[in-house]
Amino acid sequence: MLGDILHQLLDFVTSMGYWGILLGLAIEVIPSELVLAYAGYLVFKGEISFVEAILFGTVGCLLQQIILYYLGLYGGRAFIDKYGKYLHIKSKHVDMTERWFQKYGAGVVFTSRFIPIVRQAISIPAGVSKMNLIKFLYFSGIASVLWTLIFVALGNNLGENWGTISEKAAPYTQPLLVVAILFLIGFLLYKTLTRNRKDRDKTEY
């Protein structure tokens, strides 16, 4: 059951139509799955088009990641340790994503978008490490489009029952996580082969 405060926030977001979708995703006080499912419901009712739902959903997701990226870039780890609780981000989650980021590099920005809890936290070490913003937006953008597509489509299919999205989403998000992990493996192989080729070229030179 959603708490009273969450219900009020959800009512506020839904009263704003697709601008509410964008705002709700940018601040993500309400889980993104619910907001995007509501966007799908608006498509179901014919109030917005499927393309509009995907557009506003993707932009909203990206805005949140950009905000967190810049919090990491300018606020650093100390800021997150002090104020992260207000963003629903715990220090232990940042610790975990920092280790992943250091070990796997930029590719983990894409993969982490499909993992509960760390979806938001991964943007912070990306900012702290001053990851190239274009590369950050590229990986985040691809993941955000896929995430938005899934939940808008599910919300559209559920219609009036869009609020039950948490129960219906698992069969769709789990395969996507497998694809994301395969992507990360491919990215790591690419980096390894590229690094080995550069080392070999330097040796020959």
Side-chain angles (χ1 to χ4, degrees):
M1 295 290 293
L2 292 171
D4 291 339
I5 294 177
L6 194 56
H7 267 304
Q8 291 173 8
L9 286 170
L10 187 59
D11 288 341
F12 174 72
V13 167
T14 55
S15 69
M16 298 174 64
Y18 46 72
W19 290 109
I21 296 167
L22 192 151
L23 178 63
L25 291 168
I27 60 175
E28 199 166 343
V29 176
I30 306 165
S32 61
E33 297 92 327
L34 267 179
V35 178
L36 291 171
Y38 169 69
Y41 173 60
L42 292 182
V43 175
F44 169 78
K45 291 202 301 180
E47 294 187 12
I48 62 174
S49 70
F50 189 79
V51 173
E52 286 176 319
I54 299 301
L55 176 62
F56 279 85
T58 300
V59 171
C61 287
L62 274 176
L63 276 177
Q64 185 205 46
Q65 303 313 320
I66 291 170
I67 291 168
L68 292 173
Y69 173 90
Y70 277 106
L71 283 177
L73 181 64
Y74 292 112
R77 181 56 193 269
F79 178 90
I80 300 303
D81 288 340
K82 188 173 182 179
Y83 299 107
K85 61 184 177 181
Y86 300 110
L87 303 170
H88 303 287
I89 297 174
K90 296 180 180 179
S91 293
K92 64 180 181 180
H93 299 145
V94 179
D95 290 337
M96 179 168 56
T97 55
E98 279 183 339
R99 289 194 297 269
W100 289 4
F101 193 84
Q102 291 167 3
K103 185 175 181 180
Y104 301 115
V108 78
V109 171
F110 172 83
T111 308
S112 297
R113 296 289 179 238
F114 310 105
I115 303 174
I117 301 174
V118 301
R119 279 202 299 270
Q120 294 78 31
I122 191 61
S123 296
I124 295 167
V128 171
S129 66
K130 299 181 180 179
M131 177 182 176
N132 178 273
L133 182 60
I134 299 301
K135 185 182 290 186
F136 173 79
L137 291 175
Y138 172 75
F139 284 114
S140 298
I142 295 173
S144 296
V145 169
L146 291 174
W147 188 255
T148 302
L149 275 169
I150 287 176
F151 285 99
V152 168
L154 285 173
N156 184 28
N157 289 333
L158 288 170
E160 299 288 345
N161 298 315
W162 65 272
T164 64
I165 188 67
S166 298
E167 304 165 17
K168 308 292 184 181
Y172 300 90
T173 55
Q174 289 172 357
L176 190 57
L177 177 58
V178 172
V179 172
I181 292 172
L182 291 175
F183 171 86
L184 180 58
I185 292 171
F187 182 79
L188 291 174
L189 287 173
Y190 169 77
K191 284 189 65 176
T192 301
L193 292 172
T194 302
R195 184 169 56 249
N196 290 342
R197 186 169 63 249
K198 288 181 179 179
D199 292 341
R200 187 171 59 252
D201 291 343
K202 287 179 181 178
T203 303
E204 291 175 356
Y205 180 76

